[in-house]
Amino acid sequence: MTWESVIGIEVHVELSTRSKMFCGCAVEFGAEPNTNTCPVCLGLPGALPVPNRKAIEWIMAIGLALNCEVSERSVFHRKNYFYADLPKGYQISQFDIPVCHDGYLDVTVDGETRRIGIERAHMEEDTGKSTHIGDGGRIHAAESTLLDFNRSGVPLVEVVSRPDIRSAAEARAYAQDLRAVVAELGASDARLEEGSIRFDANVSIRPEGAEGLGTKVEVKNMNSFRSLEKAVDYEIERQITVVEAGGELTQETRHWDEEAGVTHSMRVKEGSSDYRYFTEPDLAPMVMSASWVDEVRVGLPELPAERKARYSDEGLESDLAGVLSASPVEVRDIFDVAVAEGADHRRVANWLVGDVTAWLRRTETDPTKLPLGGKQLAELVEIVDEGVVSSSAAKMVLEGVLQGEGSPREVAKARDLVQISDVSAIEEIVAGVLADNPEAVKSYAAGEQKVVGFLVGQVMRASQGKADPKLVNELLRQKLSS
Amino acid sequence: MTLHELTIAEAGERLRAGEVSSSDLLEAALDRASLTEAQLHAYLTIDREGARETARRADADLADGIDHGPLHGVPVALKDNMCTRGVETTASSQILAGYIPPYDATVTRKLKEAGAVIVGKTNLDEFAMGSSTENSAYGTSYNPWDIGRVPGGSSGGSAAAVAIGSAFAALGSDTGGSIRQPASLTGVVGLKPTYGTVSRYGLIAFASSLDQIGPLSRSVQDAAFMLEAIWGHDPLDATSYAGEYPQPSAALDDGVSGMKVGVVKELAGEGYEPAVETAVSAMVDKLSDAGAAVVEVSLPTFDIALSAYYLIAPAEASANLARFDGVRYGHRGEGATTETLMARTRAEGFGPEVTRRVLLGTYALSAGYYDAFYGQAQKVRSAIQEDFSRAYESVDVLVSPTSPTVAFEAGARMDDPLAMYLSDICTIPSNLAGHPAISIPIGLDEQNLPIGFQVMAPALGETVMFQVAAAVETLAGFAERPVLEELAS
Ligand SMILES: [Zn+2]
């Protein structure tokens, strides 16, 4: 039997607001434990939550960027459960009326674009952080647990996809694209390693063509896109193996073990997962007026998908448009300026996603410190077009520009990379090479066309690579045929 | 008249005339406490030194011409479920034994800013759950009119202190009648303002959508002074009312002529003591004689208000009390795992009534029962609000007894929760609607026990409510004060 995998992704995005969701404490990564706390986020008796307006604007922005509807009225709920790092004994979250609902994100894998539905994006607060001391940090055998409430009350947006994802690669693409959107908005640091964006996957399988849904397993603890893809892949295979061996799947939460490359069943929590949701009586319903939504919509930056479409319209192939679109804003700005200077879109894009990006990576330079302007890149393209430098010499010119040696024309001159395009000068070299290689000339006369390549190489070497290869080719053939 | 019997208005006059000092007023209240606390147990904490310092400052300020208004230099008490920075706050629960808040509740701050002298923290039913103050983990409070009886609850300590004179006024909190019912049972004025007008920031929550702080005082005017000092928009409470506030003290002398007064048909009959009914109808007649148009009004949903209340309040309480887990503050039970630590903390820390309500509320919110219980109760709540709206189309205020009975004997209802719950049958509807209501003492029964008269008004209708309450006070001419028998000799 062929199996189809059905995957949904839940994403938690920590918003990069200055203050927490319901109090004035600072949101700060890496601060001394329990320094950013107050009666509200410590759940002291009598303290009350007051919502952060900026956080609500961020979730609206995320929702709009993901093509969601923004609810006119949205309600906070209490999600009740006991946990040491949950100070109030409930989390303020949302239940049946989230801020955003019914959106989508188009993702492309191997050239095929699919629309992944987004069920909802809701607002909630983060919990504190437990650190278990002793016995390898596992909760049950730990000697003690340290609690840090700096994270308690940090605004979180949870984005829940529909089970529209069909492969691990697609899950990864969805996660990456969603992260790109959030980062583009500036709504979050969106750093996986710091946990400011976290992904959980709901995975099930069903026979190809079947309608219903299989037993759903939630997979947690993936801290990179690669591990998300691997974990989902592993889980799909595991489920198929279990079912094909005649076994039954359990609805459970499984933990991805990065080192072992497997998922483990997490201990089933005692008691049921009845969170006894009810309306948070300390908070009035939020009203998102049409004018407020419009204000947020107008403030949205150009999003990766829109940008990619624009690049495609401007003549870039889909792959190139995609890569450029995902490049840092500084790189994209260079593109826009160079193109406005009249340089060819594709050539500029190729320089940027190729040599420029490689240089950034190799030299570990932050894109904000990229020492290249759009006008300079346009000039580089121009001198190649004019035949001033060869394509290969142009790479060295770029290197010089990036090292601050001057404009492309200046670097070409200073590094002595200007092409020899003077016909008589090249004719002289050609004549010399032909005189030195009588065997080759004979072979050509005998019909061996491929010696031309050898002779071109000889001429280029003799000119120290500066001769215009097109001219060399032309002149060689003329001389050989005469 | 001795100092401890003065109203705030009277004390203020003497203070500004230079006849007495704030320190004198405070010592009068403290003396009164020393004399009566052994029998009444109105206070959990008396902050003698803190209060004396505040009183001295109030006197110095006044000497410098700085006058913070009607409460300047006046000794008041706070129910022990309102946070006071540096002063133990327990909500009468073992689970908060020794808990010292690092911050002041908004009402605490406002009272301080108004120049009031905070004498101490008064006893209550644990987490404000009860109608007799017998559910306190630190011992029962008793009624100054008869120390064999309860002062009502849950703000019983505040009521007893104001009645006996160990505070000139006090704050209570009212979730289902916890200010008005004890006021009624102790012969003082008790006011629950419109929901959202007094900040709940720093009030240890019982049922957030119902809780409201308000004053207990010896006169209607004093209640207005207290209210005007503590209410107002608070950015720290997201349910705080941000619009325009009424000005009740301006209307106290306007009388009831031409006013339309509705007598609630459902709040009478079976279960109501004859003396209460007689006193209430006598007052209704007096209002009519004073020029009010009196009509009987039916609000049929009042009959099911109690049931709805006992689902909504425990449901919210079950979540509000979840934070008391022994992890960060308060009592901590022994436990090798987090689960046992939390379970033992709560089992040891909560008294039986609190445990009962947390269980009831947890059950009412559980999957499969939510719609039948909590969901249904919310529908009843909406229906009650509609009933009120309909009634207020034809009347300005509604009136009723505050409590169906006078103060009952200590212990009489402790084994019968339902009988205890019925104590609040007249007061609960206003909480469910979020409306203001006030209890005014109108007389004594044949056993010398006070009877309270309730005036209810629509949301933000404090002005008209106070107008009627002041008239009721005048018409009743109630001037009796309790006399503790042991002290009488
Ligand atoms: Zn905080």
Side-chain angles (χ1 to χ4, degrees):
Chain A
M1 189 182 302
T2 354
W3 298 93
E4 178 179 54
S5 43
V6 177
I7 302 152
I9 306 269
E10 285 172 22
V11 187
H12 284 89
V13 182
E14 234 176 48
L15 296 182
S16 50
T17 45
R18 268 201 301 265
S19 58
K20 292 186 181 179
M21 187 61 219
F22 297 114
C23 62
C25 291
V27 174
E28 197 183 355
F29 181 79
E32 274 290 296
N34 297 309
T35 49
N36 291 327
T37 58
C38 75
V40 176
C41 55
L42 286 174
L44 296 193
L48 294 173
V50 178
N52 181 333
R53 188 182 162 89
K54 185 67 208 170
I56 295 165
E57 288 180 354
W58 278 133
I59 188 178
M60 285 160 66
I62 291 173
L64 291 170
L66 297 174
N67 309 293
C68 289
E69 306 273 333
V70 175
S71 308
E72 277 173 48
R73 188 176 163 280
S74 182
V75 177
F76 283 111
H77 274 68
R78 290 185 183 178
K79 179 181 181 180
N80 297 286
Y81 65 98
F82 286 97
Y83 207 77
D85 58 24
L86 184 71
K88 297 187 295 294
Y90 56 84
Q91 179 191 32
I92 303 177
S93 181
Q94 296 200 274
F95 185 53
D96 51 357
I97 320 176
V99 178
C100 304
H101 58 94
D102 295 305
Y104 61 83
L105 184 60
D106 289 333
V107 302
T108 305
V109 173
D110 295 334
E112 196 201 337
T113 300
R114 290 191 60 244
R115 177 157 291 188
I116 309 302
I118 288 167
E119 192 186 303
R120 56 189 279 149
H122 73 248
M123 192 80 241
E124 59 186 33
E125 55 175 342
D126 212 341
T127 62
K129 210 172 123 189
S130 301
T131 308
H132 305 295
I133 306 295
D135 199 65
R138 282 176 307 169
I139 183 165
H140 293 290
E143 285 156 18
S144 61
T145 298
L146 300 177
L147 295 168
D148 176 8
F149 291 99
N150 282 350
R151 208 181 63 183
S152 167
V154 167
L156 277 186
V157 169
E158 183 175 339
V159 181
V160 182
S161 87
R162 296 195 183 281
D164 292 348
I165 299 167
R166 291 290 170 268
S167 71
E170 209 167 79
R172 177 183 184 155
Y174 170 83
Q176 277 176 324
D177 288 0
L178 199 143
R179 189 208 159 270
V181 167
V182 168
E184 187 73 48
L185 293 170
S188 169
D189 294 342
R191 295 204 181 113
L192 276 76
E193 61 282 7
E194 286 178 8
S196 53
I197 187 163
R198 315 194 272 268
F199 300 93
D200 300 329
N202 288 311
V203 180
S204 65
I205 54 164
R206 65 183 174 197
E208 185 88 59
E211 275 293 312
L213 292 171
T215 305
K216 184 176 82 176
V217 170
E218 188 176 13
V219 188
K220 287 178 176 287
N221 193 43
M222 290 81 78
N223 49 20
S224 69
F225 294 119
R226 217 176 111 255
S227 62
L228 170 69
E229 184 173 0
K230 277 163 62 186
V232 170
D233 237 343
Y234 173 85
E235 185 55 28
I236 293 167
E237 289 309 313
R238 187 192 70 84
Q239 291 186 12
I240 292 172
T241 311
V242 169
V243 173
E244 289 193 338
E248 280 219 17
L249 294 166
T250 349
Q251 184 160 344
E252 60 181 342
T253 299
R254 296 179 71 89
H255 195 84
W256 170 246
D257 181 337
E258 179 76 37
E259 242 168 79
V262 297
T263 60
H264 294 299
S265 183
M266 281 166 85
R267 189 183 64 107
V268 179
K269 271 189 194 166
E270 276 169 38
S272 70
S273 56
D274 178 3
Y275 292 117
R276 305 187 309 280
Y277 280 99
F278 74 103
T279 313
E280 166 56 285
D282 286 332
L283 295 167
M286 288 177 274
V287 177
M288 274 73 64
S289 66
S291 60
W292 195 18
V293 176
D294 282 344
E295 221 174 276
V296 173
R297 196 193 308 271
V298 167
L300 292 181
E302 185 183 39
L303 296 165
E306 292 164 9
R307 194 160 52 229
K308 190 181 161 192
R310 174 166 66 87
Y311 290 154
S312 296
D313 290 348
E314 288 172 357
L316 301 188
E317 307 87 327
S318 169
D319 279 1
L320 191 54
V323 177
L324 179 63
S325 172
S327 299
V329 60
E330 292 80 7
V331 171
R332 294 180 339 243
D333 284 349
I334 295 172
F335 175 82
D336 290 338
V337 174
V339 164
E341 288 286 309
D344 176 65
H345 293 82
R346 282 188 51 205
R347 307 220 357 234
V348 170
N350 274 317
W351 274 116
L352 289 169
V353 306
D355 293 80
V356 172
T357 301
W359 183 84
L360 282 172
R361 211 172 291 143
R362 194 175 68 239
T363 57
E364 291 177 11
T365 305
D366 191 276
T368 55
K369 303 202 176 86
L370 181 59
L372 181 70
K375 284 190 179 178
Q376 290 175 312
L377 187 56
E379 188 178 309
L380 182 66
V381 172
E382 192 178 78
I383 62 175
V384 174
D385 284 348
E386 288 172 356
V388 175
V389 294
S390 65
S391 303
S392 55
K395 288 178 187 289
M396 286 177 273
V397 173
L398 176 70
E399 187 81 31
V401 172
L402 291 171
Q403 281 172 24
E405 293 168 17
S407 74
R409 283 185 199 280
E410 288 163 357
V411 173
K413 219 172 273 168
R415 289 197 170 197
D416 199 14
L417 294 167
V418 177
Q419 250 179 180
I420 302 169
S421 323
D422 178 19
V423 175
S424 58
I426 297 175
E427 269 176 346
E428 210 173 291
I429 303 169
V430 167
V433 166
L434 291 181
D436 291 347
N437 294 283
E439 291 301 310
V441 177
K442 252 182 234 165
S443 301
Y444 183 83
E448 276 202 56
Q449 294 282 329
K450 63 180 182 196
V451 294
V452 176
F454 165 75
L455 290 169
V456 168
Q458 294 300 308
V459 175
M460 291 308 289
R461 182 186 292 175
S463 73
Q464 290 164 318
K466 287 187 284 182
D468 180 344
K470 236 168 71 193
L471 262 180
V472 171
N473 223 307
E474 232 169 75
L475 294 172
L476 255 175
R477 284 179 195 274
Q478 266 178 32
K479 282 274 187 270
L480 287 167
S481 311
S482 61
Chain B
M1 197 182 272
T2 45
L3 286 186
H4 72 260
E5 289 179 315
L6 299 177
T7 62
I8 293 174
E10 291 160 351
E13 271 172 39
R14 296 193 190 187
L15 199 62
R16 283 170 187 79
E19 293 164 24
V20 296
S21 66
S22 171
S23 300
D24 295 336
L25 297 175
L26 175 64
E27 293 308 324
L30 290 174
D31 285 351
R32 201 63 188 152
S34 301
L35 273 174
T36 60
E37 271 303 289
Q39 292 166 76
L40 298 183
H41 191 228
Y43 284 92
L44 292 180
T45 304
I46 297 182
D47 181 21
R48 285 193 167 73
E49 287 324 301
R52 281 182 173 130
E53 202 190 311
T54 315
R56 275 194 296 272
R57 204 174 332 119
D59 287 328
D61 277 355
L62 213 52
D64 290 344
I66 303 164
D67 188 339
H68 291 293
L71 300 187
H72 189 116
V74 176
V76 299
L78 287 183
K79 188 178 182 178
D80 200 35
N81 58 353
M82 296 168 210
C83 289
T84 41
R85 190 170 66 205
V87 177
E88 188 178 8
T89 302
T90 65
S92 283
S93 182
Q94 200 59 52
I95 213 159
L96 279 175
Y99 175 69
I100 296 179
Y103 74 101
D104 274 336
T106 295
V107 288
T108 309
R109 177 177 60 76
K110 287 198 157 215
L111 281 180
K112 287 178 177 176
E113 287 168 4
V117 176
I118 297 171
V119 180
K121 309 294 294 288
T122 57
N123 199 10
L124 62 147
D125 287 294
E126 186 178 359
F127 287 109
M129 296 178 188
S131 308
S132 67
T133 319
E134 291 168 291
N135 294 329
S136 168
Y138 304 102
T140 303
S141 294
Y142 293 95
N143 193 316
W145 296 86
D146 176 350
I147 57 165
R149 292 174 188 264
V150 302
S154 64
S155 310
S158 286
V162 173
I164 205 64
S166 54
F168 283 71
L171 291 186
S173 63
D174 191 315
T175 306
S178 278
I179 291 172
R180 291 160 286 160
Q181 185 259 12
S184 175
L185 269 49
T186 57
V188 300
V189 174
L191 159 69
K192 182 201 96 72
T194 301
Y195 183 82
T197 58
V198 179
S199 170
R200 293 182 296 113
Y201 189 75
L203 168 70
I204 298 177
F206 161 14
S208 312
S209 74
L210 301 163
D211 294 344
Q212 192 61 181
I213 295 173
L216 295 100
S217 62
R218 292 200 282 264
S219 76
V220 171
Q221 186 180 36
D222 285 3
F225 287 153
M226 289 286 280
L227 177 64
E228 288 171 352
I230 60 170
W231 74 357
H233 176 63
D234 182 10
L236 297 178
D237 176 356
T239 61
S240 174
Y241 173 65
E244 190 117 350
Y245 280 68
Q247 291 186 308
S249 59
L252 294 176
D253 301 328
D254 291 358
V256 289
S257 180
M259 192 84 77
K260 289 186 194 130
V261 175
V263 180
V264 180
K265 182 174 161 237
E266 283 74 15
L267 301 181
E270 202 192 328
Y272 288 76
E273 286 179 355
V276 171
E277 295 214 284
T278 308
V280 167
S281 35
M283 178 49 69
V284 168
D285 291 344
K286 285 182 188 173
L287 286 170
S288 174
D289 292 345
V294 177
V295 289
E296 190 183 63
V297 181
S298 175
L299 293 98
T301 54
F302 276 28
D303 288 340
I304 46 173
L306 191 74
S307 317
Y309 174 85
Y310 274 99
L311 290 167
I312 293 168
E316 292 183 12
S318 71
N320 282 331
L321 270 57
R323 67 186 62 196
F324 303 106
D325 56 13
V327 172
R328 285 146 297 128
Y329 48 79
H331 174 74
R332 177 183 286 179
E334 288 288 320
T337 66
T338 311
E339 287 87 348
T340 35
L341 180 149
M342 287 181 176
R344 292 224 181 108
T345 296
R346 293 168 66 80
E348 293 162 7
F350 291 146
E353 182 62 25
V354 171
T355 303
R356 175 165 30 238
R357 295 203 198 183
V358 167
L359 289 174
L360 187 65
T362 303
Y363 191 74
L365 290 174
S366 296
Y369 299 99
Y370 182 96
D371 290 339
F373 293 134
Y374 191 73
Q376 197 62 30
Q378 291 293 5
K379 283 184 198 149
V380 170
R381 188 173 187 174
S382 305
I384 288 168
Q385 282 160 346
E386 284 162 26
D387 244 7
F388 263 120
S389 301
R390 244 190 318 276
Y392 286 127
E393 282 169 15
S394 55
V395 298
D396 297 308
V397 294
L398 292 167
V399 299
S400 74
T402 306
S403 163
T405 69
V406 295
F408 46 91
E409 278 170 17
R413 299 184 186 174
M414 281 306 274
D415 297 326
D416 187 355
L418 277 180
M420 188 72 92
Y421 295 171
L422 282 167
S423 309
D424 294 329
I425 194 143
C426 305
T427 47
I428 278 172
S430 299
N431 295 86
L432 289 171
H435 292 174
I438 189 168
S439 176
I440 310 105
I442 53 169
L444 300 174
D445 74 351
E446 65 284 0
Q447 303 168 92
N448 225 29
L449 295 168
I451 295 164
F453 184 83
Q454 179 175 234
V455 180
M456 295 169 263
L460 299 169
E462 270 83 354
T463 304
V464 67
M465 186 183 78
F466 266 92
Q467 196 179 329
V468 176
V472 168
E473 184 180 48
T474 309
L475 293 169
F478 181 79
E480 275 82 3
R481 290 282 180 258
V483 179
L484 287 181
E485 279 162 31
E486 286 79 352
L487 298 174
S489 50

